[in-house]
Amino acid sequence: MAIPKGKIGYPILGDSSLEFYRSVPLYINSRIEEYGARIFQSRILNKPTVFVCSCSAVKELLTEHHTKMSLGYKAMLHHLYGDNIMFEEATEADRLHALMHHVFIQNALPKFDRIVQKFIQRHFSDLHSSDSVQVYETFKLFATELMLALFLDLDATDSPDLAHDVASLATTHWHGVISVPLNLKVSYWSSSCKQAVESKDKLLELIRTRLASQADKGSFLTRARQAGFKDQSELEQHILPFVSALVPKAIASLLTSFTLALCSKSKDNMQEMARESSDYLEWCLLETERLWPPVLGGRRLVREDFILDGYKVPKGYAVIYVSSIAHRDPDVFKNPDTFDPTRWADNSKEKEKLLFCYGDGPRCCVGTSLMKNLIKKVSQYLVGRYNWTLGDQDEDLDYKWLPMARPKELSASFTKVDQSEALSESPGKD
Ligand code: HEM
């Protein structure tokens, strides 16, 4: 049994959080290179932390050792999300997982397809009429309005003022989330944190009102009410994350990375290939998840010692698994930094199990199938209707890594494809 290489240093003095937040890939890749290993240790958030960055070790961590760890978000986020599955231990988490699965899977949302189609049409049918589209902002607005419609039954066109208020509350709430680890200035931290907590309370109040007013049998809110949450407060707390800014940002990130990747001038015409083959489009989406997962990974607190891939992980340590680095593990993915959809041509279902864009194991994302389906519908629509090219900026765009990874804003221009060339893979025909 080996001890992971790396320095945990002295409390506070040895902390390397700032270096980590400044550039996640630089921080991790330099250590992988220095230690010659994809598992190493250091001190983050003033806690000795084991980093897990190989595909096989992330898999092992999330599927075999989950009972020996708790999720490491409570101290940072509890004041902003209240009692929530993200902070629960195994048995409670299993109960809540089952309830949420019952409410969130696509089949449980009979109106899902119709609502998604409506918002795709509303936000993307006219992209060609503008010379330059700010891609990330366009996807984020789409995703924000879609989430309000899906989870609060609130249509931004019918109730623009209310939708605007909710979106701005969600933004202030989000500023509280990002200010937690990054802010060293206590005065700023406390003011943005206070506003974020006030926004959380207002969002919860709104959720309460919407829950009370919903009679429609097929709506998400009605199903959520009947799902078996132990009381009203538990129910409200579990709707909160999905009307917050977190999910739209993740959706916009994936769609922006997809749009950018399919612009590459150095490759065959990937847009055309994706238009002609739904398999190829599927591989492009898997490559997008592999190279640019919006959620960095996850943090856990170790409750009992265990051995991970031959390394000792001691009780009292934290563990951070980093999906985007594990997805570039050269032992698993040849030429790992290259966007190569054809790598998925063989046995893609089996290989997909090596992606952690939505986590893995019992604590994986409850929204996985819903989100994958949504991303597929949007991307099908885009390749079916448009060709697009990047504006002035470089293909090799900078990424912003935390708290949600995404390409920095880019502009693109969209032209409609000749409909006679396009195959009939518009989302309505799926
Ligand atoms: C593109 C959008 C999304 C991405 C990329 C994403 C990603 C993730 C990831 C990586 C985790 C695991 C974190 C960890 O291991 O610590 C997670 C957990 C979770 N996700 Fe998502 N998610 C998305 C959207 C959603 C949606 C729409 C829902 C609800 C319908 C949802 C519900 C959850 C829940 C409840 C958990 C925590 C599960 C637990 O603690 O057991 N997510 N998500």
Side-chain angles (χ1 to χ4, degrees):
M1 180 204 347
I3 305 290
K5 286 188 186 164
K7 305 179 198 78
I8 54 169
Y10 292 109
I12 302 178
L13 287 178
D15 191 71
S16 57
S17 305
L18 271 182
E19 190 193 339
F20 175 68
Y21 285 112
R22 226 174 269 136
S23 171
V24 174
L26 194 65
Y27 180 93
I28 293 178
N29 287 326
S30 62
R31 282 161 175 79
I32 290 178
E33 201 169 314
E34 183 183 349
Y35 306 136
R38 297 182 85 80
I39 296 182
F40 61 86
Q41 60 181 1
S42 91
R43 180 176 289 273
I44 296 286
L45 296 174
N46 203 23
K47 207 164 180 61
T49 300
V50 174
F51 276 85
V52 183
C53 307
S54 79
C55 238
S56 57
V58 172
K59 183 95 190 155
E60 183 186 332
L61 181 82
L62 297 179
T63 55
E64 292 176 31
H65 301 295
H66 56 95
T67 53
K68 299 158 200 156
M69 304 176 291
S70 47
L71 268 71
Y73 312 119
K74 191 164 184 170
M76 288 184 275
L77 297 175
H78 185 268
H79 60 299
L80 293 170
Y81 286 103
D83 291 336
N84 194 286
I85 185 170
M86 290 183 277
F87 315 127
E88 295 296 351
E89 300 295 323
T91 318
E92 267 300 88
D94 284 350
R95 176 181 70 84
L96 288 160
H97 239 273
L99 290 184
M100 294 182 80
H101 185 71
H102 172 72
V103 189
F104 281 118
I105 55 167
Q106 187 191 342
N107 293 347
L109 294 173
K111 292 183 180 167
F112 176 83
D113 279 350
R114 197 161 51 74
I115 297 176
V116 171
Q117 302 310 337
K118 182 162 104 177
F119 281 81
I120 286 179
Q121 288 292 335
R122 188 183 288 175
H123 286 262
F124 305 135
S125 62
D126 228 10
L127 294 179
H128 57 288
S129 62
S130 153
D131 289 343
S132 167
V133 174
Q134 296 298 298
V135 176
Y136 178 76
E137 280 311 314
T138 302
F139 288 139
K140 196 169 72 154
L141 182 63
F142 158 78
T144 303
E145 292 192 2
L146 177 65
M147 292 301 117
L148 292 184
L150 276 178
F151 296 139
L152 284 186
D153 220 354
L154 175 60
D155 189 321
T157 304
D158 302 338
S159 320
D161 293 344
L162 183 55
H164 176 269
D165 288 352
V166 181
S168 81
L169 284 172
T171 303
T172 314
H173 181 248
W174 177 253
H175 288 158
V177 175
I178 56 180
S179 74
V180 173
L182 294 177
N183 264 293
L184 299 174
K185 284 191 196 151
V186 174
S187 57
Y188 177 75
W189 187 87
S190 53
S191 80
S192 66
C193 196
K194 190 163 160 261
Q195 286 170 15
V197 172
E198 283 166 9
S199 300
K200 174 200 76 174
D201 292 340
K202 287 185 188 154
L203 284 171
L204 283 171
E205 209 175 293
L206 181 96
I207 291 168
R208 205 166 301 137
T209 316
R210 302 299 289 179
L211 276 164
S213 66
Q214 287 305 310
D216 179 354
K217 258 174 79 182
S219 81
F220 162 79
L221 289 167
T222 304
R223 289 193 63 92
R225 241 186 351 232
Q226 295 163 349
F229 285 96
K230 74 176 177 222
D231 54 33
Q232 174 79 10
S233 154
E234 186 176 81
L235 167 61
E236 290 162 9
Q237 295 291 158
H238 282 85
I239 296 176
L240 178 67
F242 312 115
V243 297
S244 80
L246 196 106
V247 172
K249 279 175 187 287
I251 295 169
S253 166
L254 279 167
L255 288 171
T256 307
S257 296
F258 167 82
T259 308
L260 179 60
L262 266 67
C263 272
S264 175
K265 295 183 193 102
S266 56
K267 287 280 168 87
D268 304 329
N269 189 339
M270 290 192 281
Q271 292 168 23
E272 197 178 305
M273 288 161 75
R275 186 174 309 128
E276 283 168 4
S277 155
S278 57
D279 281 346
Y280 190 84
L281 174 60
E282 193 70 50
W283 305 338
C284 289
L285 294 176
L286 289 171
E287 265 306 73
T288 305
E289 280 185 25
R290 185 180 75 80
L291 286 172
W292 304 291
V295 179
L296 177 80
R299 182 169 185 261
R300 303 287 188 269
L301 299 175
V302 181
R303 285 195 312 222
E304 61 181 91
D305 293 357
F306 61 91
I307 310 292
L308 177 71
D309 199 18
Y311 290 97
K312 179 173 179 183
V313 181
K315 178 178 170 182
Y317 273 44
V319 173
I320 293 182
Y321 75 88
V322 189
S323 306
S324 53
I325 308 282
H327 289 169
R328 292 170 190 240
D329 182 346
D331 286 346
V332 178
F333 297 105
K334 215 169 118 201
N335 299 324
D337 296 330
T338 307
F339 185 85
D340 176 10
T342 57
R343 73 170 78 241
W344 298 95
D346 295 327
N347 209 5
S348 67
K349 281 289 156 226
E350 216 27 56
K351 283 201 245 161
E352 198 178 334
K353 294 182 187 154
L354 297 170
L355 294 183
F356 312 108
C357 181
Y358 297 93
D360 203 348
R363 303 307 295 262
C364 73
C365 179
V366 178
T368 309
S369 62
L370 199 70
M371 289 299 102
K372 280 175 96 76
N373 194 293
L374 168 64
I375 303 285
K376 187 167 169 187
K377 283 191 157 43
V378 175
S379 58
Q380 269 177 341
Y381 182 85
L382 293 178
V383 295
R385 185 170 172 89
Y386 297 112
N387 285 310
W388 61 91
T389 49
L390 281 186
D392 289 339
Q393 66 275 302
D394 199 340
E395 277 178 23
D396 239 350
L397 269 191
D398 268 359
Y399 260 71
K400 184 178 171 298
W401 292 97
L402 283 166
M404 189 69 79
R406 67 168 173 91
K408 294 201 173 146
E409 185 53 294
L410 61 138
S411 61
S413 51
F414 290 77
T415 47
K416 271 171 88 174
V417 291
D418 177 353
Q419 291 301 321
S420 59
E421 278 173 30
L423 290 182
S424 55
E425 287 194 303
S426 69
K429 296 182 180 153
D430 186 27

